[in-house]
Amino acid sequence: MPINLKNLTIQTAHEGLKNGDFTATDLAKSALAEIESKNKELNAFLEVYDNVLVQAGFADKAIAEARKAGKDFPILCGIPLAIKDNILVKGQIASSASKILENYHATYDATVIKKLQVENGAVLVGRTNMDEFAMGGSTENSAFGPTRNPYDTARVAGGSSGGSAAAIAAGMVLGALGSDTGGSIRQPASFCGVVGLKPTYGAVSRYGVMAMGSSLDQIGPFAKTIEDAQIIFDAIKGKDSLDSTTIDETTYQKEKGKSKKEKLIIGVPWHFLKEGLHADVKKVLDDTLKKLEKKGYEIREISLPNISYSLAVYYVLMPAEVSSNMARFDGVKYGLHVDGKDMIEDYFKTRAAGFGPEVRRRILLGTYVLSSGYYDAYYYRANAVRKLITDDFKKAFESVDLILTPTAPSPAFKIGEKTNDPVAMYLEDIFTVTANLTGMPAVSVPAGMSGNLPIGMQLTAPHGGENSLFEAGKDIEKEV
Ligand code: GLN
């Protein structure tokens, strides 16, 4: 029977599968039909896998067996999900939306893929568009064309995980994975009216995600509701021997929300929100605070003295890490190879043909800030200020449980509006980069509208505080 994924969440689809209202194959067919009719315009998917119905068939079999045995089956079993194109799915192309990896096939599964597909029976529908190697905030840096925002196709879906956010907003899938180095899950979530979670650094294994800034990167979920995001997060989190930065869940539980109060205390750094906010974003912020107050949350003003340096710190440290992570694309190990007269020329030619302008810009910036003579002035200093920013947040979390800011300073902007001004594009990240610099978890929750465009609010918690994010996030989304 035909189902509209727009009317379902992961939770309600699971109920439907449990009750036998429809099958995983029905869900998969509905996803495929929606993609078929809308993807030409939106460009959310770079590829739809050819085994979607096979995967759905496996899920149906597992569901039938569980039913026969009178057992439950995993909530994600049979649920159609989309995967950002920088996460490896064995045997499938993973291109990071770059020409240099256009025909690169992954040789192994990322840990998150094993968990979703093998352990939980989720149906992976395809790989989604993104800014090349996750560098950008609009998905316009994709080598394969921008993703369009389902709310207004003249506008960007955000980035870098724009395809994943748009795919959910358009009703093509019920959930998706993205990666977030400086806001790439949360900002597109805000632009497309979905929930996006950047987990605590180390909560989710990065094994099998293409590294951008290794000290900043995290994989996280997109979904329609906090509850759904939590379901995906619970499935993918956990210590992994293949990623030594992953942390144990027990560390985790211990460190969540400290407040003894029934409702959490929410801090707002007003000093950082005085300028540059779109009027509608400011209004949604004020409305959200009023709603939270009414529900019994205490709102407190906090000070984060060094936060105004965070964007500058990010745009020194991130390119430094980018420049070393990109070195592996040498025309020998993976993907594209262009012949020159010798090995060095092969290298130059391959990288010149394979990388787009934003990736090149960041490699240049990164090698500059790391070069001898400049290292102390830039990289070393930025690292020291990163520590100060982290200390500011730790101090603030001595008196509040969560920090609330907008996710982005404006709603989705027009395609082409910021492409010629990299600094204007970087300013989009002003509220999101701090969670990556500090390693703390943060979530973007749909909280209001600007005309027909969604606006998200961002909650940040101390390390391991995802549960507090979910608690307050649910109270924000319910009011929308
Ligand atoms: N927009 C940010 C940047 O361009 C964030 C990217 C990301 O999180 N991958 O770096």
Side-chain angles (χ1 to χ4, degrees), residues 284-330:
V284 174
L285 171 66
D286 291 340
D287 290 350
T288 305
L289 288 169
K290 269 187 226 137
K291 285 171 200 164
L292 287 169
E293 225 165 9
K294 241 198 249 155
K295 284 174 181 271
Y297 289 84
E298 184 186 329
I299 314 291
R300 264 188 214 167
E301 176 160 8
I302 53 159
S303 161
L304 299 165
N306 296 290
I307 197 174
S308 55
Y309 303 116
S310 50
L311 201 60
V313 167
Y314 173 78
Y315 275 97
V316 170
L317 296 180
M318 175 274 298
E321 296 187 21
V322 158
S323 69
S324 72
N325 276 325
M326 291 298 118
R328 74 195 63 176
F329 302 105
D330 55 6

Side-chain angles (χ1 to χ4, degrees), residues 70 73 110 132 147 160 188 233 236 266 278 374 397 419 461 467:
F73 54 93
E132 184 177 8
T147 296
S160 65
F233 174 63
I236 60 176
I266 296 187
H278 185 286
Y374 294 100
F397 282 128
T419 32
N467 286 338

Side-chain angles (χ1 to χ4, degrees), residues 299-375:
I299 314 291
R300 264 188 214 167
E301 176 160 8
I302 53 159
S303 161
L304 299 165
N306 296 290
I307 197 174
S308 55
Y309 303 116
S310 50
L311 201 60
V313 167
Y314 173 78
Y315 275 97
V316 170
L317 296 180
M318 175 274 298
E321 296 187 21
V322 158
S323 69
S324 72
N325 276 325
M326 291 298 118
R328 74 195 63 176
F329 302 105
D330 55 6
V332 178
K333 294 192 205 73
Y334 319 90
L336 186 73
H337 173 86
V338 182
D339 262 336
K341 66 176 183 318
D342 54 24
M343 212 181 80
I344 295 293
E345 206 183 275
D346 287 3
Y347 183 80
F348 282 123
K349 283 198 159 168
T350 302
R351 287 166 70 90
F355 287 144
E358 183 61 27
V359 174
R360 284 209 287 266
R361 180 181 292 123
R362 294 190 192 201
I363 293 171
L364 285 172
L365 268 172
T367 43
Y368 178 76
V369 300
L370 288 174
S371 55
S372 70
Y374 294 100
Y375 178 92

Side-chain angles (χ1 to χ4, degrees), residues 329-471:
F329 302 105
D330 55 6
V332 178
K333 294 192 205 73
Y334 319 90
L336 186 73
H337 173 86
V338 182
D339 262 336
K341 66 176 183 318
D342 54 24
M343 212 181 80
I344 295 293
E345 206 183 275
D346 287 3
Y347 183 80
F348 282 123
K349 283 198 159 168
T350 302
R351 287 166 70 90
F355 287 144
E358 183 61 27
V359 174
R360 284 209 287 266
R361 180 181 292 123
R362 294 190 192 201
I363 293 171
L364 285 172
L365 268 172
T367 43
Y368 178 76
V369 300
L370 288 174
S371 55
S372 70
Y374 294 100
Y375 178 92
D376 284 351
Y378 296 109
Y379 185 78
Y380 181 83
R381 266 198 178 177
N383 242 338
V385 181
R386 179 182 194 172
K387 170 84 173 63
L388 293 178
I389 295 166
T390 309
D391 289 346
D392 284 352
F393 273 77
K394 283 190 179 154
K395 186 145 193 299
F397 282 128
E398 284 171 10
S399 59
V400 299
D401 298 297
L402 293 168
I403 293 172
L404 185 94
T405 64
T407 306
S410 69
F413 46 88
K414 291 224 167 80
I415 290 181
E417 193 178 320
K418 295 183 200 272
T419 32
N420 293 325
D421 186 351
V423 175
M425 192 73 91
Y426 299 167
L427 276 169
E428 275 298 306
D429 308 332
I430 189 129
F431 300 125
T432 46
V433 294
T434 43
N436 304 80
L437 292 172
T438 61
M440 292 167 182
V443 69
S444 178
V445 191
M449 298 296 283
S450 169
N452 63 336
L453 299 172
I455 291 175
M457 287 292 126
Q458 171 178 253
L459 288 164
T460 305
H463 284 96
E466 275 84 351
N467 286 338
S468 318
L469 295 182
F470 299 144
E471 186 182 326

